Amino acid sequence: MYQEESSVVSDDPRQFAHPAVTVDLVLMSIVEGVPAALLMRTGNEGEDLWALPGGFVQIDEPLDATARRILRDKARMTDAYIEQLFTFGAVERDPRMRVITVAYFGLLPAARFATALQSGSDLILAEIDVPWSGETGGPVSALGDDGPVELAFDHADILATAILRLRGKLDYSPVGFALLPELFTLRQLQDVHEAILGVKLNKPAFRRRMLDRGWLEPTGTRETGSSYRPAELFRHKIS
């Protein structure tokens, strides 16, 4: 008697090929009014590719531990807060083999990158060119000191996802304060929001909204070294 082939997929893990898993770090800042991300030189001899700091997950290593290891060894940074952003698993995203990557996301003031950037020429803080408005989404590109840089794998998509996440969270969470020094002016806060959103904001309306949300704590001091009337300094009020 004819017996139909079973459509039940085996749950025996030995029946499946095992893809590799990596972690990639999106470490972002604001540099001269535009979003920027840390990139590292990669590729074979003769190639000039740039990638997010990343690496393979070891068999006995939790994902968060991998992220911290890459932060230390590849990005050459410590004590940065990072969180999972998204998982990218397109079949052909890595031409070498089947690789699934878990992207982590962190925001830092530009000054925090100084030591890493001085450690060698294989790291750059590249400008992220975002040609779309709002949360439309779409491709982004990266610009180094000498112009556009070629991104490896699907790292342009990962950067675009990070921009979308940041824009989506900016209005309802205090995420933007991570890009500022401990003490900052309202002008600096507005600059960060404008850089992330890619638009100019109404100054009185923005300041009123920030003050009304209770996120700001005045310090009673003013900035120094300004050629104009020194602006008042604030800090992020942690509830």
Side-chain angles (χ1 to χ4, degrees):
M1 182 177 179
Y2 175 76
Q3 185 176 4
E4 292 187 2
E5 183 179 352
S6 173
S7 62
V8 177
V9 177
S10 170
D11 58 3
D12 183 352
R14 295 171 298 180
Q15 303 301 314
F16 296 88
H18 293 170
V21 180
T22 59
V23 164
D24 287 306
L25 301 185
V26 183
L27 301 174
M28 288 182 57
S29 190
I30 300 296
V31 178
E32 297 182 356
V34 295
L38 188 70
L39 299 178
M40 61 183 296
R41 193 185 301 274
T42 187
N44 300 319
E45 185 176 353
E47 291 182 314
D48 193 18
L49 297 176
W50 293 85
L52 298 165
F56 286 90
V57 178
Q58 299 176 4
I59 194 65
D60 59 349
E61 187 178 43
L63 286 173
D64 287 356
T66 304
R68 289 192 296 270
R69 172 171 57 81
I70 293 169
L71 180 69
R72 181 191 68 237
D73 296 346
K74 298 288 186 70
R76 300 167 204 154
M77 302 181 71
T78 58
D79 301 326
Y81 172 76
I82 53 177
E83 62 182 39
Q84 281 194 28
L85 170 67
F86 199 75
T87 300
F88 296 82
V91 173
E92 297 180 353
R93 60 171 301 275
D94 189 323
R96 298 170 298 179
M97 60 185 299
R98 178 77 166 104
V99 179
I100 296 168
T101 195
V102 181
Y104 278 70
F105 182 48
L107 301 173
L108 297 157
R112 288 287 310 278
F113 292 88
T115 301
L117 295 173
Q118 292 169 2
S119 67
S121 61
D122 59 332
L123 290 177
I124 60 171
L125 194 55
E127 175 185 335
I128 305 172
D129 182 25
V130 185
W132 34 269
S133 60
E135 297 178 55
T136 305
V140 303
S141 56
L143 303 173
D145 291 338
D146 299 323
V149 298
E150 185 177 356
L151 293 169
F153 311 121
D154 56 352
H155 289 190
D157 295 333
I158 297 176
L159 285 170
T161 301
I163 292 291
L164 277 173
R165 172 71 61 85
L166 188 51
R167 286 184 177 181
K169 294 179 67 172
L170 190 63
D171 191 53
Y172 69 85
S173 78
V175 63
F177 291 104
L179 294 162
L180 290 163
E182 181 182 0
L183 302 182
F184 52 86
T185 66
L186 291 177
R187 177 68 257 177
Q188 288 174 307
L189 179 60
Q190 184 171 339
D191 287 344
V192 163
H193 280 245
E194 290 179 343
I196 294 169
L197 298 172
V199 297
K200 293 294 184 182
L201 301 172
N202 179 271
K203 178 179 175 180
F206 174 81
R207 296 188 173 197
R208 184 167 55 251
R209 187 167 73 253
M210 291 295 105
L211 292 169
D212 289 347
R213 286 182 173 174
W215 288 348
L216 299 176
E217 179 181 343
T219 66
T221 60
R222 293 185 176 273
E223 63 179 340
T224 58
S226 173
S227 58
Y228 301 97
R229 183 174 181 270
E232 184 176 5
L233 293 170
F234 292 80
R235 63 166 54 93
H236 174 214
K237 185 178 182 180
I238 302 175
S239 56

